[in-house]
CSV table of all heavy atoms in Angstrom, one decimal:
chain,number,residue,atom,x,y,z
X,335,ASN,N,19.9,-3.2,10.3
X,335,ASN,CA,20.2,-3.1,11.8
X,335,ASN,C,21.5,-3.9,12.1
X,335,ASN,O,22.4,-3.4,12.8
X,335,ASN,CB,19.2,-3.4,12.8
X,335,ASN,CG,18.0,-2.5,12.6
X,335,ASN,OD1,18.2,-1.3,12.6
X,335,ASN,ND2,16.7,-2.9,12.8
X,336,ILE,N,21.6,-5.1,11.6
X,336,ILE,CA,22.9,-5.9,11.9
X,336,ILE,C,24.0,-5.4,11.2
X,336,ILE,O,25.2,-5.4,11.7
X,336,ILE,CB,22.6,-7.4,11.7
X,336,ILE,CG1,23.5,-8.2,12.5
X,336,ILE,CG2,22.7,-7.8,10.3
X,336,ILE,CD1,23.1,-9.7,12.7
X,337,LEU,N,23.8,-4.9,9.9
X,337,LEU,CA,25.0,-4.3,9.2
X,337,LEU,C,25.5,-3.1,9.9
X,337,LEU,O,26.7,-2.8,10.0
X,337,LEU,CB,24.5,-4.0,7.8
X,337,LEU,CG,24.4,-5.2,6.9
X,337,LEU,CD1,23.8,-4.8,5.5
X,337,LEU,CD2,25.8,-5.8,6.6
X,338,LYS,N,24.6,-2.3,10.5
X,338,LYS,CA,24.9,-1.1,11.1
X,338,LYS,C,25.8,-1.3,12.4
X,338,LYS,O,26.6,-0.6,12.8
X,338,LYS,CB,23.8,-0.2,11.5
X,338,LYS,CG,24.2,1.1,12.2
X,338,LYS,CD,22.9,2.1,12.4
X,338,LYS,CE,23.4,3.4,13.1
X,338,LYS,NZ,22.3,4.2,13.5
X,339,THR,N,25.4,-2.5,13.1
X,339,THR,CA,26.1,-2.8,14.5
X,339,THR,C,27.2,-3.7,14.4
X,339,THR,O,28.2,-3.7,15.1
X,339,THR,CB,25.0,-3.3,15.4
X,339,THR,OG1,24.3,-4.5,14.8
X,339,THR,CG2,24.0,-2.3,15.7
X,340,LYS,N,27.1,-4.7,13.3
X,340,LYS,CA,28.2,-5.7,13.3
X,340,LYS,C,28.9,-5.8,12.0
X,340,LYS,O,29.7,-6.7,11.8
X,340,LYS,CB,27.6,-7.1,13.8
X,340,LYS,CG,27.1,-7.1,15.1
X,340,LYS,CD,26.6,-8.5,15.5
X,340,LYS,CE,26.0,-8.6,16.9
X,340,LYS,NZ,25.7,-10.1,17.3
X,341,GLY,N,28.5,-5.0,10.9
X,341,GLY,CA,29.1,-5.2,9.7
X,341,GLY,C,30.5,-4.6,9.7
X,341,GLY,O,31.0,-4.1,10.6
X,342,HIS,N,31.2,-4.8,8.4
X,342,HIS,CA,32.4,-4.3,8.2
X,342,HIS,C,32.5,-2.9,8.4
X,342,HIS,O,31.5,-2.2,8.1
X,342,HIS,CB,32.8,-4.7,6.7
X,342,HIS,CG,34.3,-4.5,6.4
X,342,HIS,ND1,34.8,-3.2,6.2
X,342,HIS,CD2,35.4,-5.4,6.4
X,342,HIS,CE1,36.1,-3.4,5.9
X,342,HIS,NE2,36.5,-4.6,6.1
X,343,PRO,N,33.6,-2.3,8.9
X,343,PRO,CA,33.7,-0.8,9.1
X,343,PRO,C,33.3,0.0,7.9
X,343,PRO,O,32.8,1.1,8.0
X,343,PRO,CB,35.2,-0.6,9.5
X,343,PRO,CG,35.5,-1.8,10.1
X,343,PRO,CD,34.9,-3.0,9.4
X,344,SER,N,33.6,-0.6,6.7
X,344,SER,CA,33.4,0.2,5.3
X,344,SER,C,31.8,0.1,5.2
X,344,SER,O,31.3,0.9,4.3
X,344,SER,CB,34.0,-0.4,4.2
X,344,SER,OG,33.6,-1.7,4.0
X,345,ILE,N,31.1,-0.7,5.9
X,345,ILE,CA,29.6,-0.6,5.8
X,345,ILE,C,29.0,0.1,6.9
X,345,ILE,O,28.1,1.0,6.8
X,345,ILE,CB,29.0,-2.1,5.8
X,345,ILE,CG1,29.6,-2.9,4.6
X,345,ILE,CG2,27.6,-2.1,5.7
X,345,ILE,CD1,29.2,-4.3,4.6
X,346,ARG,N,29.5,0.0,8.1
X,346,ARG,CA,29.1,0.5,9.3
X,346,ARG,C,29.1,2.1,9.2
X,346,ARG,O,28.2,2.8,9.5
X,346,ARG,CB,29.8,0.1,10.6
X,346,ARG,CG,29.5,-1.3,11.0
X,346,ARG,CD,29.9,-1.6,12.5
X,346,ARG,NE,31.1,-0.9,12.9
X,346,ARG,CZ,32.3,-1.5,12.9
X,346,ARG,NH1,32.3,-2.8,12.5
X,346,ARG,NH2,33.4,-0.9,13.3
X,347,GLN,N,30.2,2.6,8.8
X,347,GLN,CA,30.4,4.0,8.8
X,347,GLN,C,29.4,4.7,7.8
X,347,GLN,O,28.7,5.6,8.2
X,347,GLN,CB,31.7,4.3,8.5
X,347,GLN,CG,32.0,5.9,8.7
X,347,GLN,CD,33.5,6.3,8.6
X,347,GLN,OE1,34.2,5.8,7.6
X,347,GLN,NE2,33.9,7.2,9.5
X,348,PRO,N,29.2,4.2,6.6
X,348,PRO,CA,28.2,4.9,5.7
X,348,PRO,C,26.8,4.7,6.2
X,348,PRO,O,26.0,5.5,5.8
X,348,PRO,CB,28.4,4.1,4.4
X,348,PRO,CG,29.8,3.6,4.4
X,348,PRO,CD,30.0,3.2,5.8
X,349,LEU,N,26.5,3.8,7.2
X,349,LEU,CA,25.1,3.7,7.6
X,349,LEU,C,25.0,4.5,9.0
X,349,LEU,O,23.9,4.3,9.7
X,349,LEU,CB,24.9,2.1,7.9
X,349,LEU,CG,24.6,1.2,6.7
X,349,LEU,CD1,24.5,-0.3,7.2
X,349,LEU,CD2,23.4,1.8,6.0
X,350,ARG,N,26.0,5.3,9.2
X,350,ARG,CA,25.9,6.0,10.5
X,350,ARG,C,24.6,7.0,10.5
X,350,ARG,O,24.2,7.3,11.6
X,350,ARG,CB,27.1,6.9,10.7
X,350,ARG,CG,27.3,8.0,9.7
X,350,ARG,CD,28.7,8.6,9.7
X,350,ARG,NE,28.9,9.4,10.8
X,350,ARG,CZ,30.0,9.9,11.3
X,350,ARG,NH1,31.2,9.6,10.6
X,350,ARG,NH2,30.1,10.6,12.4
X,351,ASP,N,24.1,7.4,9.4
X,351,ASP,CA,22.8,8.2,9.4
X,351,ASP,C,21.6,7.6,9.5
X,351,ASP,O,20.6,8.1,9.5
X,351,ASP,CB,23.0,9.1,8.1
X,351,ASP,CG,23.9,10.3,8.2
X,351,ASP,OD1,24.4,10.7,9.2
X,351,ASP,OD2,24.3,10.7,7.1
X,352,LEU,N,21.6,6.2,9.6
X,352,LEU,CA,20.5,5.4,9.7
X,352,LEU,C,20.0,5.5,11.1
X,352,LEU,O,20.7,5.0,12.1
X,352,LEU,CB,20.7,4.0,9.3
X,352,LEU,CG,19.5,2.9,9.6
X,352,LEU,CD1,18.3,3.3,8.7
X,352,LEU,CD2,20.0,1.5,9.2
X,353,ASP,N,18.8,6.0,11.3
X,353,ASP,CA,18.4,6.2,12.8
X,353,ASP,C,17.5,5.0,13.2
X,353,ASP,O,17.5,4.5,14.3
X,353,ASP,CB,17.5,7.4,12.9
X,353,ASP,CG,17.2,7.8,14.4
X,353,ASP,OD1,18.0,7.5,15.1
X,353,ASP,OD2,16.1,8.2,14.6
X,354,ALA,N,16.7,4.4,12.3
X,354,ALA,CA,15.8,3.3,12.5
X,354,ALA,C,15.4,2.7,11.3
X,354,ALA,O,15.2,3.2,10.3
X,354,ALA,CB,14.5,3.7,13.4
X,355,ALA,N,15.2,1.3,11.4
X,355,ALA,CA,14.7,0.5,10.3
X,355,ALA,C,13.6,-0.5,11.0
X,355,ALA,O,14.0,-1.3,11.8
X,355,ALA,CB,15.7,-0.3,9.6
X,356,GLU,N,12.4,-0.3,10.6
X,356,GLU,CA,11.3,-1.1,11.3
X,356,GLU,C,10.4,-1.6,10.3
X,356,GLU,O,10.0,-1.0,9.3
X,356,GLU,CB,10.6,-0.2,12.2
X,356,GLU,CG,11.5,0.4,13.3
X,356,GLU,CD,10.8,1.5,14.2
X,356,GLU,OE1,9.6,1.7,13.9
X,356,GLU,OE2,11.4,1.9,15.1
X,357,ALA,N,9.9,-2.8,10.5
X,357,ALA,CA,8.8,-3.4,9.7
X,357,ALA,C,7.4,-3.0,10.2
X,357,ALA,O,7.0,-3.3,11.4
X,357,ALA,CB,8.9,-4.9,9.8
X,358,GLU,N,6.7,-2.2,9.3
X,358,GLU,CA,5.4,-1.7,9.6
X,358,GLU,C,4.3,-2.7,9.3
X,358,GLU,O,3.2,-2.7,9.7
X,358,GLU,CB,5.1,-0.3,9.1
X,358,GLU,CG,6.0,0.7,9.7
X,358,GLU,CD,5.7,2.1,9.1
X,358,GLU,OE1,5.0,2.2,8.1
X,358,GLU,OE2,6.0,3.1,9.8
X,359,ALA,N,4.6,-3.5,8.3
X,359,ALA,CA,3.8,-4.6,7.7
X,359,ALA,C,4.7,-5.5,7.1
X,359,ALA,O,5.9,-5.3,6.9
X,359,ALA,CB,2.7,-4.0,6.8
X,360,ASP,N,4.2,-6.7,6.6
X,360,ASP,CA,5.0,-7.7,5.9
X,360,ASP,C,5.6,-7.0,4.6
X,360,ASP,O,6.8,-7.4,4.1
X,360,ASP,CB,4.2,-8.9,5.5
X,360,ASP,CG,4.0,-9.8,6.7
X,360,ASP,OD1,4.7,-9.6,7.8
X,360,ASP,OD2,3.3,-10.8,6.6
X,361,ASP,N,5.0,-6.0,4.0
X,361,ASP,CA,5.4,-5.5,2.8
X,361,ASP,C,5.8,-4.0,2.9
X,361,ASP,O,5.8,-3.3,1.8
X,361,ASP,CB,4.4,-5.8,1.7
X,361,ASP,CG,3.1,-5.2,1.9
X,361,ASP,OD1,2.8,-4.8,3.1
X,361,ASP,OD2,2.2,-4.9,1.0
X,362,ILE,N,5.9,-3.5,4.1
X,362,ILE,CA,6.3,-2.1,4.3
X,362,ILE,C,7.4,-2.0,5.4
X,362,ILE,O,7.2,-2.4,6.5
X,362,ILE,CB,5.1,-1.2,4.7
X,362,ILE,CG1,4.0,-1.3,3.7
X,362,ILE,CG2,5.6,0.2,4.9
X,362,ILE,CD1,2.7,-0.6,4.1
X,363,VAL,N,8.6,-1.4,4.9
X,363,VAL,CA,9.6,-1.3,5.9
X,363,VAL,C,9.8,0.3,5.9
X,363,VAL,O,9.9,0.9,4.9
X,363,VAL,CB,10.9,-2.0,5.5
X,363,VAL,CG1,11.4,-1.5,4.2
X,363,VAL,CG2,11.9,-1.8,6.6
X,364,MET,N,9.9,0.7,7.2
X,364,MET,CA,10.2,2.1,7.4
X,364,MET,C,11.5,2.5,7.8
X,364,MET,O,12.1,1.8,8.6
X,364,MET,CB,9.2,2.7,8.6
X,364,MET,CG,9.3,4.1,8.9
X,364,MET,SD,10.6,4.7,9.9
X,364,MET,CE,10.4,3.9,11.4
X,365,VAL,N,12.1,3.3,7.0
X,365,VAL,CA,13.5,3.7,7.3
X,365,VAL,C,13.6,5.2,7.7
X,365,VAL,O,13.1,6.0,6.9
X,365,VAL,CB,14.5,3.6,6.1
X,365,VAL,CG1,15.8,4.1,6.2
X,365,VAL,CG2,14.6,2.0,5.8
X,366,ARG,N,14.1,5.4,8.9
X,366,ARG,CA,14.1,6.8,9.4
X,366,ARG,C,15.7,7.2,9.4
X,366,ARG,O,16.4,6.5,10.0
X,366,ARG,CB,13.5,7.0,10.8
X,366,ARG,CG,13.4,8.5,11.2
X,366,ARG,CD,12.5,8.6,12.5
X,366,ARG,NE,13.2,7.9,13.6
X,366,ARG,CZ,12.5,6.8,14.0
X,366,ARG,NH1,11.4,6.4,13.6
X,366,ARG,NH2,13.0,6.2,15.2
X,367,LEU,N,16.0,8.3,8.8
X,367,LEU,CA,17.3,8.8,8.8
X,367,LEU,C,17.4,10.0,9.8
X,367,LEU,O,16.4,10.7,10.2
X,367,LEU,CB,17.7,9.4,7.4
X,367,LEU,CG,17.6,8.4,6.4
X,367,LEU,CD1,17.9,9.0,4.9
X,367,LEU,CD2,18.5,7.2,6.6
X,368,LYS,N,18.6,10.1,10.3
X,368,LYS,CA,18.9,11.2,11.3
X,368,LYS,C,18.7,12.6,10.6
X,368,LYS,O,19.0,12.8,9.4
X,368,LYS,CB,20.3,11.1,11.9
X,368,LYS,CG,20.5,9.9,12.7
X,368,LYS,CD,21.9,9.7,13.2
X,368,LYS,CE,22.1,8.4,14.0
X,368,LYS,NZ,23.6,8.3,14.4
X,369,PRO,N,18.3,13.5,11.4
X,369,PRO,CA,18.2,15.0,10.9
X,369,PRO,C,19.6,15.3,10.1
X,369,PRO,O,20.6,15.0,10.8
X,369,PRO,CB,17.8,15.8,12.0
X,369,PRO,CG,17.1,14.9,12.9
X,369,PRO,CD,17.8,13.6,12.7
X,370,HIS,N,19.6,16.1,9.2
X,370,HIS,CA,20.8,16.6,8.6
X,370,HIS,C,21.7,15.5,8.0
X,370,HIS,O,23.0,15.6,8.0
X,370,HIS,CB,21.7,17.5,9.5
X,370,HIS,CG,20.8,18.4,10.3
X,370,HIS,ND1,20.2,19.5,9.6
X,370,HIS,CD2,20.6,18.6,11.6
X,370,HIS,CE1,19.6,20.3,10.4
X,370,HIS,NE2,19.7,19.8,11.7
X,371,HIS,N,21.1,14.3,7.6
X,371,HIS,CA,21.7,13.2,7.1
X,371,HIS,C,22.4,13.6,5.8
X,371,HIS,O,22.0,14.6,5.1
X,371,HIS,CB,20.8,12.0,6.9
X,371,HIS,CG,19.7,12.3,6.0
X,371,HIS,ND1,19.8,12.3,4.8
X,371,HIS,CD2,18.4,12.7,6.4
X,371,HIS,CE1,18.5,12.5,4.2
X,371,HIS,NE2,17.7,12.8,5.1
X,372,SER,N,23.3,12.7,5.3
X,372,SER,CA,24.0,13.0,4.0
X,372,SER,C,23.0,12.7,2.9
X,372,SER,O,21.9,12.0,3.0
X,372,SER,CB,25.2,12.0,3.8
X,372,SER,OG,24.8,10.7,3.5
X,373,ARG,N,23.2,13.4,1.7
X,373,ARG,CA,22.2,13.4,0.8
X,373,ARG,C,22.1,12.0,0.1
X,373,ARG,O,21.1,11.6,-0.6
X,373,ARG,CB,22.5,14.4,-0.4
X,373,ARG,CG,23.8,14.0,-1.2
X,373,ARG,CD,24.2,15.0,-2.2
X,373,ARG,NE,25.3,14.4,-2.9
X,373,ARG,CZ,26.6,14.5,-2.4
X,373,ARG,NH1,26.8,15.2,-1.3
X,373,ARG,NH2,27.6,14.1,-3.1
X,374,GLU,N,23.2,11.1,0.2
X,374,GLU,CA,23.2,9.8,-0.3
X,374,GLU,C,22.7,8.8,0.7
X,374,GLU,O,22.9,7.5,0.4
X,374,GLU,CB,24.5,9.4,-1.0
X,374,GLU,CG,25.7,9.4,0.0
X,374,GLU,CD,27.0,8.9,-0.7
X,374,GLU,OE1,26.9,8.1,-1.6
X,374,GLU,OE2,28.0,9.5,-0.3
X,375,ALA,N,22.4,9.1,1.9
X,375,ALA,CA,22.2,8.1,3.0
X,375,ALA,C,21.1,7.1,2.6
X,375,ALA,O,21.3,6.0,2.8
X,375,ALA,CB,21.7,8.8,4.2
X,376,VAL,N,20.0,7.6,1.9
X,376,VAL,CA,18.9,6.7,1.6
X,376,VAL,C,19.4,5.8,0.5
X,376,VAL,O,19.0,4.6,0.4
X,376,VAL,CB,17.7,7.3,1.3
X,376,VAL,CG1,17.8,8.2,-0.1
X,376,VAL,CG2,16.5,6.5,1.1
X,377,LEU,N,20.3,6.1,-0.5
X,377,LEU,CA,20.7,5.3,-1.6
X,377,LEU,C,21.7,4.2,-0.9
X,377,LEU,O,21.6,3.1,-1.5
X,377,LEU,CB,21.6,6.1,-2.6
X,377,LEU,CG,20.7,6.7,-3.7
X,377,LEU,CD1,19.8,7.9,-3.2
X,377,LEU,CD2,21.6,7.1,-4.9
X,378,ILE,N,22.4,4.6,0.1
X,378,ILE,CA,23.3,3.5,0.7
X,378,ILE,C,22.4,2.5,1.4
X,378,ILE,O,22.6,1.4,1.3
X,378,ILE,CB,24.1,4.3,1.8
X,378,ILE,CG1,25.2,5.1,1.1
X,378,ILE,CG2,24.8,3.3,2.7
X,378,ILE,CD1,25.9,6.0,2.0
X,379,VAL,N,21.3,3.0,2.1
X,379,VAL,CA,20.4,2.0,2.6
X,379,VAL,C,19.8,1.1,1.7
X,379,VAL,O,19.8,-0.1,1.8
X,379,VAL,CB,19.3,2.8,3.5
X,379,VAL,CG1,18.2,1.9,3.9
X,379,VAL,CG2,20.0,3.5,4.7
X,380,ALA,N,19.2,1.7,0.6
X,380,ALA,CA,18.6,1.0,-0.4
X,380,ALA,C,19.4,0.0,-1.2
X,380,ALA,O,18.9,-1.0,-1.8
X,380,ALA,CB,17.9,1.9,-1.4
X,381,GLY,N,20.7,0.2,-1.1
X,381,GLY,CA,21.6,-0.7,-1.8
X,381,GLY,C,22.2,-1.9,-1.0
X,381,GLY,O,23.0,-2.6,-1.5
X,382,GLN,N,21.9,-1.9,0.2
X,382,GLN,CA,22.4,-3.0,1.2
X,382,GLN,C,21.8,-4.4,0.8
X,382,GLN,O,20.7,-4.5,0.5
X,382,GLN,CB,22.2,-2.6,2.6
X,382,GLN,CG,23.0,-1.4,3.1
X,382,GLN,CD,24.4,-1.4,2.8
X,382,GLN,OE1,25.1,-2.4,3.1
X,382,GLN,NE2,25.0,-0.2,2.3
């Protein structure tokens, strides 16, 4: 969330398809992408 809002432009823009990131438990994080997101959106998220 902080990278999407305050990160370098080269990070913020690729994270544009990130709709939400929430902790559902200590060991489970839920990432929701926007509909029609880019095919690599989840790889970008997982590599941050």
Side-chain angles (χ1 to χ4, degrees):
N335 289 320
I336 202 164
L337 284 169
K338 182 179 178 180
T339 56
K340 296 185 178 182
H342 190 280
S344 64
I345 299 174
R346 290 202 315 268
Q347 191 174 43
L349 286 174
R350 62 191 294 169
D351 285 336
L352 173 63
D353 189 39
E356 301 170 359
E358 294 186 335
D360 282 349
D361 61 345
I362 302 176
V363 62
M364 185 278 296
V365 170
R366 185 171 62 249
L367 304 177
K368 296 176 181 177
H370 313 296
H371 58 80
S372 75
R373 67 178 185 283
E374 65 176 324
V376 67
L377 274 73
I378 292 170
V379 166
Q382 295 303 318

